[in-house]
Amino acid sequence: MATLSVPPVLSSPRDDAMQLFRAFKGLGTDTSTVINILAHRDASQRSLIQHEYRTLYSEDLFKRLSSELTGNLETAVLFWMHDLPGRDAIIVRQALMMNTMNLEAATEVICSRTPSQIQVFKQHYHAKFGIHLEHDIESCASGDHKKLLLAYASMPRYEGREVDREMVVKDAKALYKAGEKKWGTDEKTFIHIFSERSAAHLAAVDSAYHDMYGNSLKKVIKKETSGHFEHALKTILLCSENPANYFAKLEYATGLTLPASEWNQDLVPSLVLHRAMKGMGTNDTALIRVIVTRTEIDMHYIKAEYLKKYKKTLNDAVHTETSGHYRAFLLALLGPNH
């Protein structure tokens, strides 16, 4: 069984690059060293290591890793080598391509990110693929789902925690009139409020709605909408209240359809923690995606939510469902088992 040693005292990016080069030399790869270095470096450090490696050896570290690693470990490590906005851009780009379309994945990424995160990953999207995110949404999504994604990806929203209580009550009333009170649904009102209000505001609206009408907005959305539009509204709502809980119990799996070796070219490929490890077999692509994409954001909260909901630690679940160096890498990203 592959195990990790205690992370070494942080070395310089140049030292890390040299250690990686030595790990690749000879017959076979010293995979434990590769994992022990890369799993314990943040995005900026990984970027510097890649730069130093190219400077020292005139070789792309990404390509070398692709040639040295295989299977799920290769997929996880190469995905980890991208920074957060780069990963988001890659996931959404593939999800919005005609031959690999996955609107659930695109919706999950767009609707679970903060406005500032969206703006940065949109810049990466255009720089990497030469096309604007909105253009791909226009081409692939439709109806109210498309309108909501376009609005949510472009509207600036306040990211603080303060809310205007009068506006909260006003929005709760507007949503009631647009949904439960009328025959049919006024989707435009839902799009307007969900795309323009802050996360704190939406959470407050949900609470006020329940106090005023005895129902949760989640149940209202389920009753009044459907399909991708319903999924987008629920994602926005749940992430406004508790993103960690959303990611801990997400009930669908989306994955990668390109070989990992092609990720640093033109395309690429959440999570699904409980469902990814539930039943026969493991949805490794989904497991990799959630752990890699959330490790540098809120994994400690996700781990707490997972323990609270499923009465076992996420580390223990991953340990049971994976093996070898692949297991060691994921557990290194997850950190201590508590």
Side-chain angles (χ1 to χ4, degrees), residues 14 17 29 47 81 109 129 173 183 191 193 210 248 306 326 330:
R14 177 170 285 253
T29 302
S47 178
M81 293 304 291
V109 171
F129 305 117
K173 291 179 178 178
W183 181 262
I191 293 171
I193 292 175
H210 185 272
Y306 193 95
Y326 169 51
L330 294 186

Side-chain angles (χ1 to χ4, degrees), residues 3-205:
T3 58
L4 282 180
S5 60
V6 176
V9 174
L10 199 58
S11 55
S12 71
R14 177 170 285 253
D15 289 339
D16 285 341
M18 294 171 68
Q19 287 188 60
L20 288 171
F21 183 76
R22 288 193 290 269
F24 299 144
K25 292 183 66 176
L27 292 175
T29 302
D30 182 356
T31 308
S32 293
T33 293
V34 174
I35 294 172
N36 206 36
I37 293 172
L38 296 180
H40 299 106
R41 303 296 184 265
D42 64 25
S44 62
Q45 292 163 343
R46 297 193 302 273
S47 178
L48 289 172
I49 291 170
Q50 291 185 72
H51 173 76
E52 291 292 346
Y53 192 92
R54 182 182 292 276
T55 300
L56 288 169
Y57 305 113
S58 300
E59 180 182 34
D60 182 68
L61 178 57
F62 200 101
K63 292 182 179 178
R64 186 61 185 263
L65 287 167
S66 180
S67 68
E68 297 288 340
L69 307 177
T70 60
N72 290 324
L73 177 63
E74 176 193 2
T75 301
V77 171
L78 293 186
F79 204 23
W80 176 243
M81 293 304 291
H82 292 285
D83 60 10
L84 175 62
R87 285 194 295 262
D88 282 350
I90 285 166
I91 292 168
V92 174
R93 171 64 171 170
Q94 182 180 8
L96 294 178
M97 293 192 66
M98 295 308 247
N99 60 333
T100 57
M101 191 179 298
N102 188 332
L103 291 176
E104 288 83 4
T107 300
E108 175 201 306
V109 171
I110 294 170
C111 295
S112 66
R113 301 302 190 251
T114 66
S116 55
Q117 288 171 340
I118 291 173
Q119 292 309 308
V120 175
F121 108 68
K122 281 171 62 177
Q123 294 169 7
H124 278 68
Y125 197 97
H126 185 262
K128 182 177 285 287
F129 305 117
I131 195 168
H132 291 289
L133 171 64
E134 291 83 353
H135 177 275
D136 282 346
I137 293 174
E138 282 278 4
S139 300
C140 299
S142 62
D144 294 315
H145 178 236
K146 176 170 74 174
K147 294 175 184 176
L148 179 57
L149 288 186
L150 288 172
Y152 199 78
S154 60
M155 294 295 293
R157 287 179 296 280
Y158 174 61
E159 296 188 38
R161 303 307 300 170
E162 295 82 6
V163 298
D164 181 333
R165 292 296 170 183
E166 290 186 9
M167 183 62 72
V168 166
V169 172
K170 180 179 178 181
D171 282 347
K173 291 179 178 178
L175 289 171
Y176 179 70
K177 292 178 182 177
E180 288 188 289
K181 188 177 181 180
K182 66 174 298 183
W183 181 262
T185 305
D186 177 9
E187 291 86 357
K188 185 180 296 185
T189 296
F190 278 83
I191 293 171
H192 169 68
I193 292 175
F194 275 69
S195 66
E196 296 188 17
R197 303 298 190 252
S198 71
H201 182 93
L202 280 179
V205 170

Side-chain angles (χ1 to χ4, degrees), residues 36 48 55 204 221 232 242 252 268 287 295:
N36 206 36
L48 289 172
T55 300
I221 291 169
N242 189 339
Y252 60 88
V268 197
L287 186 63
T295 286

Side-chain angles (χ1 to χ4, degrees), residues 295-306:
T295 286
E296 295 176 291
I297 301 177
D298 54 3
M299 183 54 69
H300 53 304
Y301 292 118
I302 293 174
K303 288 167 66 177
E305 290 290 345
Y306 193 95

